Amino acid sequence: MDVVNLFSKKRSLKKISSIHWKWISLFSLWLLFLSGFFASFLGSPGILQAIRLNNLLESKHSQLSVIQNDVNKLQTEAHQLESSRIVQEREVRRILGYAATDEIIFDFSAVD
């Protein structure tokens, strides 16, 4: 009877260790899927891609804030150009190269 008990204990130990190994392997595969190790094969995003996407989002937010500041400056300049005759004249002179009656223009270009 001792031999029978010994075999039954070995079977139960094998069964328990087999269940533990199944859970360990399942958990390991789950961690690999989460890490993004199989991203090239299965297309699962994983944590690594989530980190990359968060960094990309932060850089896009910083670009957006810079562009928003530029838009605000341009809107202010457009409002000034629409409302102030002095600003309009100054901009026309700057773009077309004209001079007002009270301005002096110095030409520092080299003469060949």
Side-chain angles (χ1 to χ4, degrees):
M1 256 189 117
D2 246 352
V3 175
V4 174
N5 283 338
L6 185 62
F7 282 125
S8 65
K9 283 184 180 182
K10 281 186 179 181
R11 282 185 188 170
S12 65
L13 286 176
K14 281 185 180 182
K15 189 175 183 180
I16 289 172
S17 66
S18 172
I19 290 172
H20 288 297
W21 278 110
K22 287 178 184 177
W23 278 108
I24 290 172
S25 61
L26 180 67
F27 185 70
S28 300
L29 282 174
W30 180 67
L31 283 176
L32 286 175
F33 280 123
L34 282 181
S35 70
F37 182 74
F38 294 119
S40 59
F41 304 115
L42 302 175
S44 64
I47 294 172
L48 299 176
Q49 188 172 359
I51 291 170
R52 279 188 237 121
L53 289 175
N54 281 335
N55 290 338
L56 179 64
L57 179 65
E58 289 175 9
S59 69
K60 294 298 179 181
H61 278 301
S62 65
Q63 287 176 356
L64 180 64
S65 65
V66 168
I67 291 172
Q68 189 64 38
N69 288 338
D70 291 344
V71 167
N72 290 339
K73 287 178 186 176
L74 289 173
Q75 285 176 341
T76 303
E77 185 179 342
H79 177 69
Q80 288 176 347
L81 283 171
E82 290 172 354
S83 61
S84 175
R85 182 161 174 80
I86 296 169
V87 175
Q88 291 172 356
E89 290 175 0
R90 183 190 68 214
E91 197 63 25
V92 167
R93 287 194 311 271
R94 186 181 70 82
I95 297 295
L96 298 177
Y98 293 158
T101 56
D102 59 344
E103 290 181 334
I104 300 173
I105 298 177
F106 294 97
D107 186 13
F108 294 105
S109 59
V111 180
D112 291 334

